[in-house]
Amino acid sequence: MAKPTNMCQSCGMPMKVSSDFGTEKDGTLSEKYCHYCYKNGEWIQPDLTFDEFYAFSLKRFQESDMNRVAKFFLNKMYTKKFLKKLERWR
């Protein structure tokens, strides 16, 4: 099994503990995707376009319990250009 990534290859969320990771159909942890994006081997939001997914993810991060400094940097780095570099959107 390949080493898991440190960030979700769909939304870019850091994945540090097992509860951050999504799951495959057989219940194993996904190596690439977080629990917000991927569950039981399927996308949680499969019908969203790239632009819709970007807006959805950005809003979810902004509404999270991150501190103000983290949110400030997130707003600077979480761009469409960043998201398009992730495996799901290539």
Side-chain angles (χ1 to χ4, degrees):
M1 185 153 122
K3 182 180 177 188
T5 61
N6 292 331
M7 78 170 79
C8 176
Q9 291 298 300
S10 175
C11 72
M13 181 184 98
M15 299 187 302
K16 298 177 182 174
V17 296
S18 61
S19 61
D20 291 339
F21 292 80
T23 55
E24 300 295 346
K25 287 183 181 186
D26 64 2
T28 60
L29 295 180
S30 170
E31 295 180 12
K32 299 178 185 178
Y33 305 112
C34 76
H35 69 279
Y36 290 113
C37 293
Y38 197 70
K39 184 177 179 181
N40 297 322
E42 297 181 4
W43 300 114
I44 292 176
Q45 299 283 343
D47 299 329
L48 295 182
T49 66
F50 173 83
D51 289 331
E52 291 168 336
F53 183 84
Y54 172 77
F56 171 80
S57 295
L58 183 59
K59 183 178 180 189
R60 187 183 74 222
F61 287 140
Q62 290 171 333
E63 292 174 349
S64 74
D65 61 357
M66 277 189 254
N67 65 45
R68 292 174 124 189
V69 173
K71 285 184 182 182
F72 172 81
F73 285 109
L74 173 71
N75 284 326
K76 296 290 184 190
M77 61 119 341
Y78 199 77
T79 63
K80 289 182 181 182
K81 184 177 179 180
F82 164 78
L83 201 65
K84 284 187 179 189
K85 291 181 181 178
L86 299 176
E87 189 173 312
R88 181 180 181 188
W89 306 108
R90 283 189 223 150

